[in-house]
């Protein structure tokens, strides 16, 4: 595989509508398990809160990580690097999430199995009010300027370059943007060989559960690393499963 650092990737070629159609037109078994795990983790760690500042890094066209935090947050920063994804997200916010009916209702139904989510009668409207779309690279997250109270980052650190060092740096930059003790939930494509969106090939680095645990060493506490359950179906070729991790930022 040819080395492809993050800085050499043309992220203006990322097509969010193609990504949405291909990955979230229906709820796959692995995503179902991730949604349930995030729902229960945040339900326990954020119980009774509605005033937190949430951060979702690399949102793109995947809303369910941010939605998993929504009941507990007074504001949600959707932090995204690709200019096409940023434009798409801003259009979605301004229009009250028109993609909701095409994708996010079934995901919300899973989240609403928890009473904190079920209490939000119009989650799309709530998300539109609380979300702020910010363009930026994960490597530009400034610990001194952040201090977010809760965070998610799904399918980002391993999916932005072929470099193992950049994978670790991305995880640690994300954790550094959270305040000490902030709950977080991460997800990764296991052993990804790269992926195609709208006919454009994007890089990845192969990681497994041990690599995820190593990347969190010294920057998080109460870490749990697991593997999403699958029924054998895959959202695409070229990966072996989905790994998740949750814990508290150190």
């Amino acid at each position: 595989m040819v080395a492809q650092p993050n800085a050499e990737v043309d992220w203006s070629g990322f097509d969010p509508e193609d990504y949405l159609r291909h990955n979230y037109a229906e709820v796959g078994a692995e995503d179902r398990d991730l949604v349930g795990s995030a729902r229960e983790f945040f339900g326990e760690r954020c119980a009774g809160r509605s005033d937190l500042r949430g951060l979702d890094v690399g949102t793109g066209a995947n809303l369910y990580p941010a939605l998993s935090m929504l009941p507990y947050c007074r504001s949600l920063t959707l932090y995204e690097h690709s200019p096409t994804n940023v434009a798409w997200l801003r259009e979605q916010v301004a229009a009250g999430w028109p993609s909701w009916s095409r994708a996010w209702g079934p995901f919300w139904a899973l989240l609403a199995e928890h009473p904190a989510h079920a209490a939000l009668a119009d989650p799309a409207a709530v998300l539109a009010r609380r979300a702020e779309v910010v363009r930026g690279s994960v490597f530009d997250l400034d610990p001194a300027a952040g201090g977010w109270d809760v965070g998610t980052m799904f399918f980002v650190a391993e999916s932005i370059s072929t470099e193992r060092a950049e994978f670790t740096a991305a995880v640690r930059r994300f954790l550094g943007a959270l305040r000490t003790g902030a709950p977080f939930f991460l997800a990764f494509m296991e052993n990804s060989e790269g992926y195609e969106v709208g006919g454009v090939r994007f890089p990845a680095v192969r990681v497994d559960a041990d690599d995820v645990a190593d990347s969190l060493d010294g920057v998080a506490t109460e870490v749990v690393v697991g593997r999403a359950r699958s029924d054998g179906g895959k959202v695409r070729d070229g990966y072996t499963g989905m790994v998740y991790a949750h814990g508290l930022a150190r």
Side-chain angles (χ1 to χ4, degrees):
M1 179 183 294
V2 177
Q4 194 173 16
N6 178 261
E8 295 181 4
V9 181
D10 181 8
W11 293 103
S12 65
F14 198 100
D15 183 342
E17 283 291 337
D18 183 78
Y19 188 83
L20 179 68
R21 283 191 300 269
H22 188 81
N23 291 280
Y24 303 113
E26 58 185 41
V27 185
E30 291 169 313
D31 285 310
R32 179 181 298 273
D33 194 48
L34 290 179
V35 169
S37 296
R39 178 191 67 217
E40 297 307 309
F41 173 71
F42 288 128
E44 177 183 350
R45 292 293 185 174
C46 303
R49 302 296 297 269
S50 60
D51 60 339
L52 302 178
R53 296 175 63 239
L55 171 67
D56 180 54
V57 172
T59 305
N62 179 8
L63 296 190
Y64 77 71
L67 291 173
S68 69
M69 299 183 285
L70 184 60
Y72 315 107
C73 295
R74 60 180 170 85
S75 65
L76 268 170
T77 300
L78 308 183
Y79 192 85
E80 170 61 45
H81 181 54
S82 162
T84 48
N85 282 343
V86 168
W88 184 86
L89 285 165
R90 288 175 174 164
E91 291 169 1
Q92 289 283 311
V93 170
W97 301 106
S99 64
W100 193 273
S101 60
R102 289 183 286 141
W104 305 115
F107 287 90
W108 183 260
L110 292 173
L111 290 167
E113 292 177 13
H114 193 284
H117 286 82
L120 299 183
D122 189 349
V126 173
L127 182 62
R129 290 196 302 270
R130 298 181 187 176
E132 177 189 16
V133 181
V134 175
R135 187 181 179 197
S137 166
V138 63
F139 302 116
D140 294 332
L141 283 169
D142 181 2
W148 280 275
D149 303 310
V150 59
T152 50
M153 185 170 70
F154 279 50
F155 315 127
V156 175
E158 80 289 8
S159 302
I160 54 178
S161 86
T162 59
E163 307 301 300
R164 178 62 61 89
E166 290 194 323
F167 159 75
T168 301
V171 172
R172 290 173 175 263
R173 279 284 184 169
F174 167 76
L175 267 294
L178 304 180
R179 65 168 178 80
T180 300
F184 67 86
F185 199 104
L186 306 171
F188 309 87
M189 305 298 279
E190 179 187 63
N191 294 316
S192 178
E193 298 174 352
Y195 56 106
E196 186 175 295
V197 181
V200 179
R201 190 75 180 170
F202 291 94
V205 60
R206 294 175 66 92
V207 298
D208 59 18
D210 289 339
D211 297 314
V212 170
D214 288 345
S215 74
L216 294 168
D217 186 37
V219 295
T221 62
E222 301 187 34
V223 173
V224 173
V225 177
R227 198 166 183 270
R229 289 171 292 184
S230 172
D231 60 3
K234 300 292 182 186
V235 296
R236 61 170 173 80
D237 295 329
Y239 76 103
T240 57
M242 295 182 185
V243 173
Y244 66 84
H246 58 71
L248 307 179
R250 174 173 284 179

